[in-house]
Amino acid sequence: MSLDRSSLQEQILKLKEEKRAIILAHNYQREEVQDIADFVGDSLELSRTASTVDCDMIVFCGVSFMAESASILSPDKTVLLPEEAALCPMADMIHVDSPRRVRKSFPGFDNPPPYIYPAEFTLRDIKAKYPGVPVVAYVNTTADVKAESDICCTSANVVKVIESLPGEEVICVPDKNLSMWAQKNTKKRVIAWDGYCNIHERVTPDDVRRARTEHPAAMIMAHPECRLDVLEAVDHVTSTSGMLRFARSSSAQEFIVGTEIGLMHRLRKENPEKVFYPLRKDMICPNMKKTTLQSVLRAFLENSHLVKVPEHIRVPAKRALDRMLAIS
Ligand code: 13P
Ligand code: SF4
């Protein structure tokens, strides 16, 4: 039986009360999913909320690494990811160790800056190459990669996290664009990985030039998962919630938004007097869009899909997340 939007919302809210649950949603979720959530935010805010919220169950509307982080931080709560196949391809671009590894030599290790390494190597390879150099794992990683890392970061705090570490070098995985942005903003040497988000990677400086011509009065914002030549051409580089703060506090009336289009919903809702244009209309993350009101209702009815990280991975992964939360 198909239900209309308000019946779906009504049923979800009823089950949420019954199960003492809260719904967390990332800024890229569908509008109707954001509207039913108790809290909508960026990766950092959602991690912080997951670690402090008082409830029995968290229904995480986002992608799997986000629900994993909630489970790592709140092991006593039932954490559900409504769509099991909502994955982040970038998180699959680095593995702790891989039986599929094909090459044993390290041709990339002598590359000149910005020190990018081929993604077919593993995290353990790069750690062995740079013993003692701290590893910063972007939260867009699997739990076992976090467990092998010293500290996590998000797009909102990467520079602060790098600056908090001892020594003059850091390994930063897996997003090369975030790492290059961090390299531009720190004196430390950033040893980067060759991962990327294909949604943000597709933006080019030509898109920025076109946007400026079409909307000369607009401020252009971009997410640090975009290429460095794009980031150097825009007015403000920040996380998704950083864009919300910037749009709220800026005196500008028009903004070009260089991130996944799901953020447009909150930008428009919270700033009805301002105008927002996407930097590219095709910045749509198919994984973030998998979650619907139907899947949220099914999650409540079927207790699916349960996300649970084994203790031997959860404990070291939590250490890396806790270190990040302590300095953010
Ligand atoms: P934020 O941490 O800025 O919310 O970004 C998460 C993400 O997946 C970006 O693609
Ligand atoms: Fe992953 Fe990119 Fe989607 Fe963010 S937008 S969840 S980095 S694929």
Side-chain angles (χ1 to χ4, degrees), residues 189-206:
R189 177 189 183 223
V190 178
I191 299 163
W193 199 259
D194 195 16
Y196 58 92
C197 162
N198 60 346
I199 318 302
H200 289 84
E201 174 83 359
R202 66 181 59 148
V203 183
T204 66
D206 274 348

Side-chain angles (χ1 to χ4, degrees), residues 20-47:
R20 249 182 56 81
I22 64 142
I23 301 175
L24 301 184
H26 187 264
N27 286 323
Y28 295 161
Q29 287 289 293
R30 290 169 183 272
E31 297 182 13
E32 63 273 24
V33 173
Q34 292 191 31
D35 289 344
I36 198 107
D38 296 282
F39 189 83
V40 186
D42 68 4
S43 308
L44 180 61
E45 293 168 336
L46 293 172
S47 294

